[in-house]
Amino acid sequence: MPINVISAGIATTIQDMGRPGYYHLGIPMGGAMDRLALRTANLLVGNDEDAAGLESVFVGPELEFTESATVAVCGAELPPKVNGEPRETWTAFQVKSGDVLSFDFLKGGARAYIAISGGINTPPKLGSRSTYAIGALGGVNGRAVQPGDTLPLGTASQKVKDGLSVPAELRRKPGNPAELRILPGLYWHRITEQAQKDFFEDTWKVANEADRMGYRFQGGRKLEFVEREQPFGAGADPSNITDACYPYGSVQVPSGTEPIILHRDAVSGGGYFMIGTVISADMDLIGQLQPNTPTRFVKVDMDTALAARRARKAVLSSIREALS
């Protein structure tokens, strides 16, 4: 039986772990911006970790259930309510047929992940149910959730007990200021040594332009570029390069003024230089940053990046163990 969408909140989309394998064709992997949060929510309700759930930004949806289910909300502190009665985040709770799930005001973070036992069972596109609205893939007919939609559910992999909860120390959240670790990239030499130093010394703030494609940051000093004759095929601005591929987490700085971190739905290439790349272990944190959040960029090397990736996997293993 489906879930009826009474109201959709803001930018509520169906997301899973994305559709790898098509980036070379210009189709991004997509999927949940905070993957650890979605995986955890799925574990809490007895789903496979890559099952499709809902990603809501700032304001949650209002959903009517037509059958009993287990629900969990992880990521942002967007307090859930069942028929107006508060429920805990990062904790499994039950709903019955006829119950209405709604949400209180946002208390922290930016994106909440709503997992429902059985997972959302819309038709997959290119192997994923994730919504990629620009390409009209996944989601509900290639778009975000809207009032009046009905969301079909699958069958849960296993039953879990009501009240199952993730220990507080395993609920990873950005600090204040947030710290994002960056591995300098192929174009690091394009800015002066002083600019390299300034970039990591300054405190930036998240701009209003922050979505699934990318996050813009403001407030730091303008970067200075090493003078050169622009190569054939590059634009006239010093930040332009001959078109190149963009890895996930790439940090562009158009004209050296406002860094942009490319995220899950970003384009696969273009003509701006990249100062470096946010390490994979910190990509989830970006999706939880609100506008005006103070942010520091931290320079790391490859060994540190790999160690951070192992540490993140260890956290996920600890969550699995705690919920088993």
Side-chain angles (χ1 to χ4, degrees):
M1 297 291 287
I3 297 170
N4 298 320
V5 179
I6 300 171
S7 63
I10 296 179
T12 297
T13 57
I14 297 170
Q15 300 294 342
D16 53 25
M17 290 297 109
R19 48 179 64 82
Y22 301 96
Y23 204 39
H24 66 294
L25 300 176
I27 300 173
M29 180 185 294
M33 288 187 70
D34 186 343
R35 295 182 181 282
L36 189 66
L38 179 59
R39 286 183 181 275
T40 303
N42 275 321
L43 286 168
L44 281 166
V45 302
N47 291 343
D48 292 337
E49 292 178 27
D50 59 354
L54 295 174
E55 177 184 271
S56 287
V57 187
F58 301 145
V59 176
E62 189 173 4
L63 308 172
E64 180 187 28
F65 286 77
T66 59
E67 64 179 9
S68 297
T70 305
V71 179
V73 180
C74 296
E77 283 301 311
L78 191 64
K81 300 185 290 184
V82 177
N83 301 327
E85 293 294 323
R87 297 292 187 270
E88 296 293 326
T89 55
W90 299 87
T91 302
F93 57 89
Q94 302 297 316
V95 295
K96 302 186 298 294
S97 178
D99 283 350
V100 174
L101 174 67
S102 60
F103 293 84
D104 207 335
F105 295 108
L106 180 70
K107 300 187 185 307
R111 286 172 172 79
Y113 292 85
I114 308 162
I116 303 158
S117 52
I120 295 175
N121 197 30
T122 49
K125 299 295 183 181
L126 300 179
S128 171
R129 295 179 172 86
S130 286
T131 308
Y132 177 47
I134 295 174
L137 292 174
V140 181
N141 299 321
R143 58 164 171 78
V145 171
Q146 294 180 359
D149 286 342
T150 57
L151 307 178
L153 296 177
T155 303
S157 301
Q158 57 183 327
K159 290 185 178 181
V160 296
K161 62 182 180 180
D162 188 30
L164 188 64
S165 186
V166 177
E169 65 270 16
L170 297 177
R171 304 177 187 183
R172 189 174 181 224
K173 303 174 184 178
N176 189 9
E179 290 191 350
L180 300 177
R181 290 168 287 187
I182 290 177
L183 188 67
L186 294 175
Y187 302 93
W188 180 240
H189 66 285
R190 289 288 301 112
I191 58 175
T192 65
E193 290 186 8
Q194 184 62 49
Q196 293 171 357
K197 183 179 179 182
D198 292 346
F199 180 77
F200 289 111
E201 284 186 349
D202 288 347
T203 297
W204 303 80
K205 286 190 175 181
V206 178
N208 289 329
E209 299 88 352
D211 57 24
R212 292 186 50 82
M213 290 190 68
Y215 264 58
R216 184 186 295 271
F217 294 81
Q218 299 172 328
R221 284 168 282 186
K222 183 175 181 177
L223 303 181
E224 294 182 350
F225 289 86
V226 175
E227 291 188 10
R228 70 166 182 174
E229 182 179 345
Q230 291 291 88
F232 177 78
D237 191 281
S239 64
N240 292 145
I241 57 171
T242 304
D243 282 3
C245 299
Y246 294 154
Y248 292 108
S250 292
V251 185
Q252 304 174 347
V253 194
S255 297
T257 56
E258 297 179 350
I260 301 171
I261 300 176
L262 303 185
H263 220 281
R264 297 300 175 195
D265 285 357
V267 295
S268 57
Y272 286 116
F273 96 112
M274 294 153 279
I275 199 169
T277 304
V278 175
I279 65 173
S280 61
D282 288 355
M283 287 292 286
D284 287 347
L285 298 177
I286 298 169
Q288 297 299 350
L289 300 181
Q290 298 179 7
N292 295 314
T293 301
T295 305
R296 298 291 303 272
F297 300 125
V298 180
K299 181 182 177 182
V300 297
D301 58 17
M302 182 61 76
D303 287 342
T304 302
L306 293 175
R309 186 168 66 178
R310 290 191 294 270
R312 182 185 179 278
K313 288 182 177 180
V315 170
L316 183 57
S317 294
S318 296
I319 292 172
R320 292 181 184 129
E321 184 176 352
L323 300 182
S324 62

